[in-house]
Amino acid sequence: EAQVTQNPRYLITVTGKKLTVTCSQNMNHEYMSWYRQDPGLGLRQIYYSMNVEVTDKGDVPEGYKVSRKEKRNFPLILESPSPNQTSLYFCASSSTGRGYTEAFFGQGTRLTVV
Amino acid sequence: ILNVEQSPQSLHVQEGDSTNFTCSFPSSNFYALHWYRWETAKSPEALFVMTLNGDEKKKGRISATLNTKEGYSYLYIKGSQPEDSATYLCAFSSNQAGTALIFGKGTTLSVSS
């Protein structure tokens, strides 16, 4: 089954404690991205990757890091989480980075930073 | 700053009613317009990706139209059912290199039986 898998689904952590949210896709997609969803706002892109070892900042990259060492995986790293990073996070992939291909989303990770 | 507006923000209809939502986007540098359906506790799923002015797409009781010259798209649901209750997101893609899908805030539909 074609899917994007994120883990964990829920996470409560404390300020400053490094964490990683994993994302894996099994569709051999080139393009992967991370979004955050906050009340009253649309999905906002954090980082994206056009292919292995190619990553770039989205609209709200501050406080986040990513890596793309393998095509299927695109982890999101919060080196020193802060309460303003409490949000719902989605990983997404698409076959290309061009806008005419649909995005496939993971199940979401609800992160709370206290 | 590219902006995508969706209206209404939410609406509540009775089972069997037909309804429609609007997505407004920049009319310049258009590349594609996406519609996604997002059910509570699930992930957004693509309904349509539209690229051509005048394009119309249909999937069952749901259809969408696109006007790239004036920068809007309509999503229609005919004969709404309770299972249609969800948030409907539209997303705009620009033809400028390096830009992401720009999402609207969504329209939340609630259908009562």
Side-chain angles (χ1 to χ4, degrees):
Chain A
E1 179 190 354
Q3 60 185 4
V4 178
T5 304
Q6 284 179 238
N7 280 296
R9 294 288 307 278
Y10 302 92
L11 179 60
I12 301 174
T13 190
V14 296
T15 299
K17 185 176 180 182
K18 181 180 178 180
L19 68 91
T20 299
V21 184
T22 63
C23 174
S24 181
Q25 51 92 6
N26 63 1
M27 295 168 279
N28 201 37
H29 284 171
E30 291 185 350
Y31 187 88
M32 297 185 75
S33 59
W34 277 101
Y35 293 88
R36 60 178 288 174
Q37 167 72 42
D38 300 294
L41 300 175
L43 287 165
R44 295 180 294 165
Q45 193 182 56
I46 303 170
Y47 267 94
Y48 66 93
S49 170
M50 299 290 282
N51 214 323
V52 175
E53 302 291 3
V54 180
T55 63
D56 210 343
K57 297 177 181 179
D59 295 324
V60 288
E62 294 76 21
Y64 305 95
K65 286 175 59 176
V66 293
S67 68
R68 187 93 180 271
K69 294 184 170 59
E70 305 166 283
K71 198 171 187 178
R72 63 183 294 124
N73 296 323
F74 190 46
L76 180 70
I77 303 158
L78 284 73
E79 294 270 0
S80 183
S82 62
N84 64 13
Q85 292 178 297
T86 292
S87 187
L88 176 61
Y89 292 86
F90 283 103
C91 178
S93 73
S94 56
S95 55
T96 75
R98 306 306 300 275
Y100 56 79
T101 55
E102 67 180 272
F104 292 80
F105 287 84
Q107 313 96 307
T109 296
R110 187 165 292 280
L111 172 66
T112 302
V113 184
V114 297
Chain B
I1 297 177
L2 298 176
N3 201 30
V4 176
E5 300 284 345
Q6 289 189 248
S7 62
Q9 182 177 340
S10 63
L11 75 162
H12 186 148
V13 302
Q14 296 295 311
E15 183 176 358
D17 289 348
S18 293
T19 186
N20 64 86
F21 327 133
T22 304
C23 174
S24 300
F25 53 86
S27 55
S28 58
N29 300 314
F30 175 85
Y31 198 68
L33 193 284
H34 296 220
W35 281 101
Y36 291 85
R37 170 192 164 90
W38 183 14
E39 291 181 72
T40 303
K42 295 186 177 181
S43 52
E45 291 185 348
L47 287 170
F48 307 113
V49 179
M50 308 171 77
T51 58
L52 299 175
N53 184 44
D55 207 1
E56 293 188 23
K57 299 267 190 180
K58 187 174 181 181
K59 183 181 289 188
R61 293 178 292 98
I62 303 177
S63 60
T65 61
L66 178 67
N67 184 322
T68 61
K69 296 188 186 309
E70 296 183 41
Y72 66 83
S73 175
Y74 294 135
L75 187 79
Y76 299 92
I77 302 180
K78 184 177 178 182
S80 302
Q81 300 296 309
E83 57 265 31
D84 295 327
S85 297
T87 296
Y88 292 83
L89 301 171
C90 75
F92 165 79
S93 174
S94 163
N95 59 13
Q96 295 175 304
T99 57
L101 285 176
I102 309 297
F103 282 85
K105 297 178 184 178
T107 294
T108 299
L109 173 66
S110 176
V111 183
S112 300
S113 57

